Amino acid sequence: MATEAFLQQLMTNPDRLNSLAEDAKELALFHGIITRTHETPNSSEVVTYFPVTLFPTPVPKAAFLQALAVQTHYNTLVDKISQDPDFLEEALTGTIQADDFTARLFGIYRQVQQEGRAQSIVVGLNRSDYMLDQRDDGTVSLKQIEINTISAAGFGTTDHLPVVHRHTLKSVGLLKESESIPDTNSITPGMSAALAKGWELYGQPKAVILFLVEDVQISRLTHLCMEKELWNRNIPVIRRRFEEVSRRASLGDDKKLFIDGLEVAVVYFRYGYMPDNYTEETWDARLLMERSLAVKCPDISTHLAGTKKVQQVLAKPGVLEKFFPGQPQIVEQIRATFTGLYTLDMGPEGDQAVAMALAIPDKFVLKPQREGGGNNYFGEDIVRVLQEVKSEKRRAAYILMDRIRPRTDLNVLLRRGLPLKITSVCCELGICGAYVRHGEEMVLNEVPGHILRTKSIEHNDAGILAGVSVSDNPLIS
Ligand code: ADP
Ligand code: MG
């Protein structure tokens, strides 16, 4: 690969490397590829360039197109799961006995089901993540890591990153390669369009879209990108923290959701996907929003559809067929992206998975029902955790997954404070999906774009906020 050869040269020329890195950072700042800092996450007085790679990372065209092509089916699948109480109940029975967080979410789900859902419009914004599994013959195959159905981020201020990488390639004489970076500037408009559609269908021009945001608002500027799109359409947006919703929101006639005198048409959850996002009061606030007439993005059932347990159950024989009867091609397209997924529920199948993982832990990843990076177990940690829980019901809080061995490349990770060095990295491709369902009808089912995140292979787990991954672009080859 041309960039790889160039990186080899750069290793012996630190001045050149430094100057390329400085150029990339300046261009990032120039194009608004910025972030608030960990030191002052709630202030815009000091910002820095968003963590990025110096070079784009090669991604084979076939795998890239495959990931884009399957996404509308993933949108449909997530939505179908969210409407299937029997499936969710059965899939999550063992998990909710073992995992308090999933149990709490499920409790809200049950309550809303019993009461009857007030709102038949759903907005889904998700992101399906993949790694390129390296086969023995040197080719790669696209394998799904997970699908994020709540607070699926990674776009916004980075939408213009192709500009930076195209420039880097041009400035080192790789002109032709610079044309092989696809655009990403349609992601934020595309994702926002689904929220706009939900708002429009709600049909109350004065009602607002409520962004439920974190207490620590390091991602403020990425949210702003979406807010701006919505305001451009004359859609009023407010943002509130969970605790504010808990103190100031209420239900009016017909379960209309109000906060600070404003009617809420859509709640967009950018928060509420981790246990420590909640207190007793904010659990009540989540229930209030779920029971309300407001359109939810996502609603509680779509949130549950994104659990790792559901992902594992989908990989069982015959399950996808149930969601796509008479559509074997779609089933095949989705299944082709699955890697081995194994139950740890009590019973002989779970026992077998435990034995398998204990025998060769390096072949697997042990995953609890958590989001946000940094929660999975690898290698000897799998043995430690499984030895502790293997004979008890609490093992059902986890699932087991084949460990993907992604292709590695050389690159330079640019992050404030990180020394400049050439690093072995692997990338993770995320495809953004957007849909809106109104009753029985899918009124929007789109694929607004892709993101790429890259990390040093020293790290098993990932996450941009966790300080591990950085934003990248695929160089389609
Ligand atoms: P989270 O919901 O916390 O983001 P993920 O399932 O996305 O959990 O896993 C976090 C990270 O762990 C991924 O971004 C990837 O780097 C790594 N990882 C997850 N599953 C696998 C796997 N099967 N093989 C290799 N690495 C994995
Ligand atoms: Mg993830």
Side-chain angles (χ1 to χ4, degrees), residues 354-370:
V354 170
M356 213 164 62
L358 288 176
I360 320 178
D362 272 345
K363 279 189 71 179
F364 302 98
V365 183
L366 181 67
K367 295 189 169 188
Q369 312 303 309
R370 293 290 177 272

Side-chain angles (χ1 to χ4, degrees), residues 333-348:
Q333 227 177 319
I334 295 176
R335 190 167 283 143
T337 64
F338 289 173
T339 187
L341 287 146
Y342 312 93
T343 181
L344 289 171
D345 286 0
M346 299 311 280

Side-chain angles (χ1 to χ4, degrees), residues 174-189:
L174 298 172
L175 277 150
K176 197 160 178 326
E177 279 83 352
S178 74
E179 288 164 16
S180 303
I181 300 175
D183 281 331
T184 48
N185 52 12
S186 58
I187 308 177
T188 305

Side-chain angles (χ1 to χ4, degrees), residues 223-291:
H223 299 173
L224 187 63
C225 296
M226 289 184 96
E227 289 178 24
K228 205 175 59 153
E229 291 289 331
L230 295 163
W231 280 109
N232 284 346
R233 295 166 178 256
N234 295 325
I235 299 174
V237 177
I238 59 168
R239 46 178 190 280
R240 295 289 185 272
R241 288 178 289 114
F242 233 153
E243 170 265 331
E244 293 172 305
V245 174
S246 140
R247 279 192 288 117
R248 309 210 293 260
S250 59
L251 295 192
D253 292 345
D254 305 325
K255 296 190 184 166
K256 283 183 185 142
L257 180 65
F258 289 93
I259 185 163
D260 302 331
L262 299 164
E263 181 175 349
V264 178
V266 181
V267 182
Y268 176 37
F269 287 92
R270 296 301 308 239
Y271 195 61
Y273 52 89
M274 293 199 226
D276 71 359
N277 297 169
Y278 288 88
T279 60
E280 277 314 310
E281 289 74 29
T282 57
W283 275 117
D284 290 343
R286 176 83 193 250
L287 176 62
L288 183 88
M289 290 185 276
E290 294 297 337
R291 293 179 59 223

